Amino acid sequence: MAADSPREQWATRVGFIFAAVGSAVGLGNIWRFPFQVGQEGGAAFLLIYLLFIVLIGFPAMLVEFVVGRHTKRNPVGALKRIGGGVWQYVGWIFIATGFVILSYYSVVAGWTIRYTLLGLQDGYLGDAAEAEAQFVTLASGLDAILFHAIFMAIVIAIVAVGIQRGIELAVKVIVPAIVVITVGLAIYAATLAGAGDAYSYYLSPEWGTIAAEWQSILPAAAGQAFFTLSLGMGVMITYASYLDEDRNLAEDGAIIIGFDTAIAFVTGLIVFPILFTAGVDPADPGAGAIFVSLAAAFGDLTLGWLIGAVFFGTVAIAALSSAISLMEVVVSYVVDERDVDRATAALVIGGAIFLLGIPSAYDLVLLDLFDLFADQILLVFGGLLLMILVSWSLSELAVDELERGIGDLGSLGPVWIWTVRLLVVLVLIIALVLGILDYYEFLTTDFADWL
């Protein structure tokens, strides 16, 4: 895009907030969050996750906001403008992260469409073994590739239209629908027989679990916090690049995080009562665990086919809002830096992402290979480098940009910067090291066995 070319902006504040909330409220909340909670010890993981959202997620989100709004560019253009030198290549980490995540994210989103249709056909199987066999059949091979293609086609169409007429219009419908349906499902779940035991598991942390499992819980919670808030992917940099300079970034960030965390929390209030009522173990690991466990649970519930179709339909809608944001990160780079028209960029980039996603649709082990690499390494690494650059080299610029639309921050500016310099950076370094060790273990066990 030429330097003097007009750049599209959000038509309304609500449009931006809904787009950012829509990016955050997606598969990270409704697919990944429940199986992460189950896999990492229930309420113990929830507690650490909530702490990370407040202490790590909010300060980090403000960093991405100020970079995006100040530069009015995609992650590559933004880092080139404020960092120059080798820092401009850090933007490529964000582009690569969004590209890789969307490739397998679309596959999982395709599963949600397939399971929505399965529910409408009253096709959930109450037996856990049969439900697992059904999932393996539906989640890999030609069936999975077909629904992966359908989902990516929808994403391409929305992003190709543009910011106001495409993304903003879509999220103004999607986000309110997600809120209404999840609240309704949580009320229904509270009436189930297993709700009491589920709430105890979900809301009462066992301190011994935290002490014994912190090496697993910490990187998982940090990765989940970044994943669910769309940090480390360049999404918030890109979305903030379409903002006016008078926007209160801190207020908008608090609203976005509040919505996102509330939806994730409420999702737990839906999923765990259903699992406990059906006698399904919530600790079953793996990307497909929530599909197998919930499908088996819905198969045992009265009107389970209907509740399941509504639930998986909601997940599909949420996945769409997040996928749009991931696609926009890559498309904005091509539009800004390569002067390619938006429709062409969306079609070519979307096609390439679809092709990269085929291995994940072919085999679940390959999906885990992409997921763990993107979530615990790429995402955290890119976020860490950005936090270091802004907090240590560009602190005055960051505080000045944050004060636009807010006014003089006084002592709060240095508090924010030092929180990023010390707490955020330290936690991300620890999470990255533990994430690399976890990924190495996966490569030498599950992936090695697959080979």
Side-chain angles (χ1 to χ4, degrees), residues 62-129:
L62 293 183
V63 169
E64 294 205 12
F65 276 175
V66 298
V67 169
R69 189 175 68 176
H70 178 77
T71 61
K72 301 292 185 186
R73 279 293 181 273
N74 61 86
V76 173
L79 270 295
K80 183 178 181 180
R81 179 166 294 185
I82 64 172
V86 297
W87 286 104
Q88 62 183 301
Y89 300 107
V90 174
W92 280 104
I93 299 176
F94 290 93
I95 299 294
T97 302
F99 196 93
V100 172
I101 288 177
L102 185 52
S103 71
Y104 68 81
Y105 192 101
S106 175
V107 174
V108 179
W111 299 347
T112 67
I113 299 174
R114 187 66 181 89
Y115 269 75
T116 302
L117 298 177
L118 191 66
L120 295 176
Q121 297 166 344
D122 195 12
Y124 300 133
L125 302 176
D127 180 80

Side-chain angles (χ1 to χ4, degrees), residues 6 30 50 66 77 102 121 182 231 259 262 265 314 334 353 365 408:
I30 308 178
L50 292 176
V66 298
L102 185 52
Q121 297 166 344
T182 52
L231 300 174
F259 264 106
F265 179 77
T314 305
V334 176
I353 290 173
V365 173
D408 185 12

Side-chain angles (χ1 to χ4, degrees), residues 2-3 10 33 43 57 69 85 105 107 139 160 166 180 192 237 257-258 264 296 306 368 373 377 420 427 433:
W10 302 106
F33 179 71
R69 189 175 68 176
Y105 192 101
V107 174
V180 170
L192 298 176
I237 294 176
I257 287 178
L306 178 59
D368 285 338
F373 178 67
I377 298 179
V420 176
V427 169
V433 172

Side-chain angles (χ1 to χ4, degrees), residues 229-244:
L229 293 176
S230 295
L231 300 174
M233 310 175 190
V235 170
M236 294 306 171
I237 294 176
T238 303
Y239 273 10
S241 73
Y242 301 115
L243 283 175
D244 292 326

Side-chain angles (χ1 to χ4, degrees), residues 27-38:
L27 289 180
N29 297 70
I30 308 178
W31 162 61
R32 173 184 283 276
F33 179 71
F35 88 71
Q36 285 275 42
V37 171

